Amino acid sequence: MSAPGTTLALDIGGTKILAALVEASAVVDSFEMATPRDGNPSGWLDTLSGHTAHWNGRYSRAGVAVTGIIDDGCWSALNKKTLDLPDRFPLTATVSALFACPAFAANDAQAAAWGEYRFGAGAGEDMVFLTISTGIGGGIIAGGRLLTGIAGHFGLFRLQDFEGSGAVDSALEDHISGHWMAGMAAAHEKAVTARYIFETARGGASWAEEIIATSARRTAILCRNVQLALDPSRIVIGGGIGLAPGFLERIEACLEDMPARLRPRLVAARLGDKAGVVGIADLANNQPENKGEMI
Ligand code: BMX
């Protein structure tokens, strides 16, 4: 018999996939793998179900947080540079059939925003969550409610020209996030990860330092704009890059000269890479039966 109150939570991002068994806000078991850059979501979910087969019978429903958007339970990418997906992949139907339980799906950053709001750095106030990771995602909590649909897709803000870079009408995240960092690093070293760039900068490499400083400077502009648009009590910063040592402090340093009333209050996410699974589990548990999607 399945244990009531235990949820299978999957968080599928552009770099890694986290599967977890969640009870209330506690992750009781977890499994992680790199997001394959080839194949398709059916194959990735098959692999995942194989690795988590020993959890069968321990959960009664599934929540899936994914990079990209969900419409009618179908999953698509907004930015294929973050993760290349076939359009309208039937996510909730596939998860429900593979894991033999009702499934609910939502955007990854919105799920993480909800996790932080309920159990992490949110403190019960209106907040914006920003994840700086493979792409840039976000979630908005206003009046105790998570805004759904495409709300919070700050990384998809359009960019006409950025500091004279010549970039025309591209996504903001393509000039800040992990895949941008890796692309910039390619001029110096082959196939490096964002983590490696941070380590190399700490070791004194000026090219790595410049990439991180540029990303932080641009993220600071994004935070200013978010503050002016929504005036949240706090902006919670998460994601592998957002939470990399010193990154939040770099953003704050870029905001120091702002008048206090306009300056965003930045707070580090507290659930770390568990925010997505904790948030999606809570959202899944609060859905009426058989409602398979949120955005
Ligand atoms: C992109 C977009 C968002 C996502 C964000 C962070 C896609 C595939 N993703 O802006 O939906 O929330 O990246 O995603 O269009 P992550 O994979 O970096 O966590």
Side-chain angles (χ1 to χ4, degrees):
M1 236 187 65
S2 65
T6 302
T7 303
L8 170 71
L10 310 177
D11 184 352
I12 306 179
T15 301
K16 68 175 169 41
I17 298 178
L18 179 63
L21 281 184
V22 180
E23 285 171 13
S25 63
V27 171
V28 296
D29 206 349
S30 66
F31 167 79
E32 192 179 309
M33 66 184 232
T35 308
R37 301 309 293 192
D38 52 8
N40 61 59
S42 288
W44 310 339
L45 289 165
D46 260 343
T47 307
L48 209 52
S49 73
H51 284 291
T52 58
H54 59 292
W55 293 347
N56 289 354
R58 290 181 65 189
Y59 52 83
S60 50
R61 62 186 310 158
V64 198
V66 290
T67 181
I69 57 164
I70 302 289
D71 280 313
D72 306 323
C74 293
W75 178 23
S76 309
L78 282 172
N79 188 346
K80 286 180 182 282
K81 288 182 187 164
T82 304
L83 189 61
D84 197 357
L85 300 164
D87 276 343
R88 295 191 62 78
F89 173 79
L91 182 64
T92 49
T94 306
V95 169
S96 191
L98 261 178
F99 296 90
C101 63
F104 169 80
N107 168 264
D108 60 349
Q110 291 179 347
W114 186 249
E116 287 293 340
Y117 173 71
R118 292 265 292 135
F119 308 109
E125 298 173 331
D126 286 355
M127 59 167 252
V128 164
F129 174 78
L130 264 185
T131 171
I132 321 295
S133 52
T134 319
I136 293 182
I140 303 164
I141 314 289
R145 198 169 71 84
L146 174 68
L147 301 194
T148 57
I150 55 169
H153 269 88
F154 304 110
L156 271 293
F157 279 10
R158 305 311 291 178
L159 190 68
Q160 291 288 306
D161 188 12
F162 212 109
E163 298 166 5
S165 68
V168 175
D169 194 25
S170 55
L172 179 64
E173 63 190 355
D174 294 342
H175 302 268
I176 294 181
S177 66
H179 72 76
W180 173 78
M181 286 187 167
M184 296 301 286
H188 305 275
E189 287 191 36
K190 279 209 176 86
V192 305
T193 59
R195 181 189 295 269
Y196 177 83
I197 298 170
F198 277 91
E199 281 164 12
T200 308
R202 277 195 295 279
S206 59
W207 64 264
E209 169 59 30
E210 179 55 27
I211 291 172
I212 295 167
T214 303
S215 177
R217 193 169 66 245
R218 293 173 177 175
T219 306
I221 297 171
L222 174 60
C223 290
R224 291 172 76 141
N225 289 338
V226 166
Q227 195 66 37
L228 287 165
L230 298 162
D231 200 17
S233 303
R234 52 184 65 201
I235 299 179
V236 177
I237 305 285
I241 289 156
L243 293 174
F247 195 79
L248 191 141
E249 290 74 13
R250 285 173 186 266
I251 306 171
E252 279 174 334
C254 297
L255 298 170
E256 250 165 26
D257 61 345
M258 291 184 69
R261 177 64 189 93
L262 303 184
R263 197 183 310 139
R265 175 171 177 223
L266 306 186
V267 180
R270 267 211 244 124
L271 304 181
D273 64 358
K274 305 287 188 294
V277 288
V278 168
I280 196 64
D282 194 59
L283 288 166
N285 284 326
N286 288 298
Q287 296 307 307
E289 279 306 318
N290 302 324
K291 184 163 186 313
E293 51 105 8
M294 184 176 77
I295 71 167

